[in-house]
Each structure stands twice: as C-alpha cells, then as structure tokens.
Amino acid sequence: MKQPPHNLAGALAILLAICLSAPSQAQMQRSRDPSIGYAYPAGGERGKSVEVLVGGQALRGVQGAYISGSGARANVIKHYAAVRMLTGEQRQELNYRIRQCVAREWSKLQSQGVLGPPPPELRAPATRPATTQPVSKDDELPDYWMWDNLDQRSLPELMHLRHVLAGNSKRQPNEQIGETVLLRIEIDASAAPGDRELRLVGRAGLTNSVVFQVGTLPEVKELENNDPFARGPLPLPRPLTLPVVINGQILPGDVDLHRFTAKQDQRLVIRASARQLAPFMADAVPGWFEAAIAVRDETGHELAFADHYQFDPDPVLLLKVPADGTYTMEVRDTIYRGREDFVYRVTIGETPFITGLMPLGGPAGVNTSATLQGWNLWNTRIAFLMRDVGVATAALSRGRDVSNDVRYEVSSLPSVGEQINNDTIATAQPVPLGVIVDGIIEAAADRDTFRFTGKAAQEVVVEVHARRLGSPMDSLVRLFDASGKVIAWNDDTLVRRTQLHVDWGLQTHPADSYLRATLPGDGSYFVQISDAQRQS
C-alpha cells in the first residue's frame, strides 16, 4: 500500500487528535445552554407582586420568563453576573458604603430610644478613606444582587451583609447557581393556588423548570441575621401574626429562627415545603435539602420537632398550643449543610390539613367521594372528579383556607369495597378478577385476604396503589393456592408498570407491591395484603 506524503500524514494525525480531544458542537452548545437551580422566594400571595431571584448558569442574554397556568406573569428586571472575588479596593469601598448606611439606620433607631450609641467599629467615617479615593475604573464595584440597593436595606440586613463580607460566612462559590436573574412576578387575585412551573426564556428556548407556589395567605421573607445568638445588640423582630407563609434560605451551618404569637388551644399546622421545591440537587450530598423544624416556648423548651411527615421528607408539625404566648420556630438542614438553593416555605396557622382519606379513588364516570381525617377540617367528605383515567388531586377550599392536596385514582376497572373479618384464608372475601378493591389496614396484625377462581396457565397480576397515592402503607402481597402454599409474593418493586407510578428516580422508598404469576391449575386462589412494617 502506498504511504501518503510525510506532511499529509502529519496533518491527518493532527486532525485525528483534534477530533478525539475537542468537544463536539452539540456538547459545546449544551454547555452554553442556560439552566436554573432555584427561585427565591419560591412563591407569593395571590393579588400581590413579588420580586424573585433566580439562580443558575449561562443566564446572560435571558430574554424573558414563563410561569405556567393562568393569572400570573413573570418579567425580567435584571441579570447579575457571578462574582467570585472582590479586590482589596472594592472590598474597602463596599465596607465604606455599608458603614454609611448602618450609621444612618442606627441613628434612626437611636433617636427612637430602641438602641444606644453604636460601637466604634460601626461609626461611619465623615469622609471616604484615602485608600479608596478615588476608585479607579477597574476597582468599581461589580453589579450584584447582594449589595444592590443598599439605601433600601434595614439595619439587620446591613449588619448581616457586613458579617458576610467580613469573611464570617461559610458560603462556597458554585458555578451552577452563580449567575442570577431578578424577576418581578405579578399574581392576580383570582389566580388558582398551587404549584406552578417557572422557567427562563433564552436564545435556545426555555430552561428547565423550578417550582413557584401561588398561595392565599400573607407572606414574609426571613430577615437575616436570624441565627441563634447572632443578633448582637439589635432588638428582636416583632413576632409574626398568624396565619403566615415564611420564605427563607438555609446557608452553610444556618439555623433560622422565626417568632410568632399564638393562643392557648389553637390547633396549628406547621408545614414546610423544601424538597417539594427542589426534588433533586445534582451536586448536593445527599441530593436534596433535608429540612427539619422545631417549635420552642419562651423558656426555650422544645414542644415539637419533625424532620419528615410519614414517608414525605418535608416535615409537618400538628401542634395544639399549650398557652398564650410567643413561640419560636427553628428551621435548619438536618446535617447543617446549606447554600442559596436550600430554599424553603413554611406555613403556620390554623389551616386545614388532610391526614388521610378512604377510598383512594374509583371508576371513571361514577360519582365518588371520600371520607377525610385531619386537622381544622370543616367537612369530612370530599368529592372526586371522575373524568379521565389517571391520578388526580383534590383539596378542601373555602376562601383563603386551602388544604394540602390529596391524590386519588380514576380507573377503568370497577371497584369493590373490602369487607370486615377477612384476615384468613378461611374467612377470605370472594372477588372476581378484573376489579379494584378499596381497603384499609386497620391494625398492625390486619391481613386482608381475598379469594378468586382461576384456571391453569392463567396469568394474574396483583398491584397495590397506596404509596403513590399518598398513603403511608408499605404493602406486602402474597398469593396462595387452596392448600395454603405461597405461590408468589412481593414487597416493593422498582419497575414502572403503569402510567400511574410516580417517578421512582425521586422516590427513595417505592413501597407499592407488584405481583405477576402463572396459576398452576384450576381452582381457588387467595391474595393476602398486609403492611410490611406492621403499621396501621
């Protein structure tokens, strides 16, 4: 075979090396596509306008914003590039401006008798220090949300910013959320409450989505610095009036405290949304915000604590207030991690909260309602809209009082109700094949048993729909023949069997059972369902 000229062979080798080492055009394009990691605050009250900071990467050139559903509009106000480090001159200039604002705000509170004279380190100099005058073009402060609009900041906010810039913060730079875009979201008074998808609009189209919640209750943002023992000489903020939705962020090692007043015997529902807002964080270990909440009285005694609710990682506290007074709610990450995308919303008030319902659905086209259990419910029945086959949600709603959503299933099969005293093969409830049985595990030892008639070589499927519909049940299913021999059994399954399954990638414990078996002969067979953890 004739060899190519030496210089041509070299050119081919170089070209081959470039092809092997250089990223493809598609890879380069993907690296430039904008993506977002969080929105703060992650919601707003309907009838209000709220400014929202969206953090992500490759956000320069974002042209707009999109929010799903009707009654809400999002507009881009400003883009902020990532700021990784300030020069010494920039830091001095920023410190000078902050001290000027601190002195002004301190003077206001001092004139009201709230504060005494400021300590020497907080007294603003009469003139800018010579080391920062004049500031050169290269040393001008970069445009950034953290120190934007200093003149409009409160004294606690200014003190917190001073604390951060002094190097006392444990913030770590993160390119995935380093850039930010400021939005203004207008929410109509008639907007339907619930979760929306919020996206930014770039040159290549829409970004990924983050959750934005439209609420019905008054909302506040946390006022930093609200860590324990971190306020120094500043007075405590006025306690919050209930009901209220608190928006906050947990930064590294952060513990947020929120004070509120309550009356004796109030039945408070304290419900956090954290993982609901960000189901998965690619570079967090573990890959989500694990929120924990606690409530203490004025003596510091802990009245209640939760870091989950049933199988839901977002905690809920159901608290009957012991006495009139001021209480403190604490919010933190269970292992004290944190950064800007550890965003939370906590609702506190005598709000309706559904803890259980029965049945969990019914056949399409048949009027179906469920019996409810819960706190602060004005109705113990709820009607389902039995239109399209699939999983739907329902909630109690009356004015601004809206309960948590509950899931129910609209099926294409007929339903039968479980009969009592069906715990054994001898007392099994007869059912035909091709039905859905609505039942409940009422005691730890409860084992619901059903009998059907099958034929040899017939394939049968038993599938439990419980956890995916919000039930805490961890099902265990066994299939017996007429002699009591176990033919097949199943506890949990990871296989996506129907369109009704949730996304198992975000479900840490897929607890619904799925059993598929071929019957060995004609005769009676028995399906027995229980809770694997002996709960009820």
Side-chain angles (χ1 to χ4, degrees), residues 69-98:
S70 60
R73 297 159 301 282
N75 297 299
V76 175
I77 299 175
K78 199 171 189 179
H79 168 265
Y80 297 98
V83 175
R84 294 176 175 82
M85 186 177 295
L86 297 177
T87 67
E89 290 78 9
Q90 288 173 333
R91 189 175 293 274
Q92 287 181 337
E93 171 66 17
L94 182 55
N95 184 60
Y96 168 76
R97 296 185 190 180
I98 292 174

Side-chain angles (χ1 to χ4, degrees), residues 408-437:
Y408 65 96
E409 179 185 337
V410 182
S411 67
S412 58
L413 299 176
S415 294
V416 298
E418 174 209 354
Q419 298 174 0
I420 61 174
N421 299 324
N422 63 342
D423 287 3
T424 66
I425 288 178
T427 60
Q429 174 183 344
V431 296
L433 290 176
V435 299
I436 292 176
V437 180

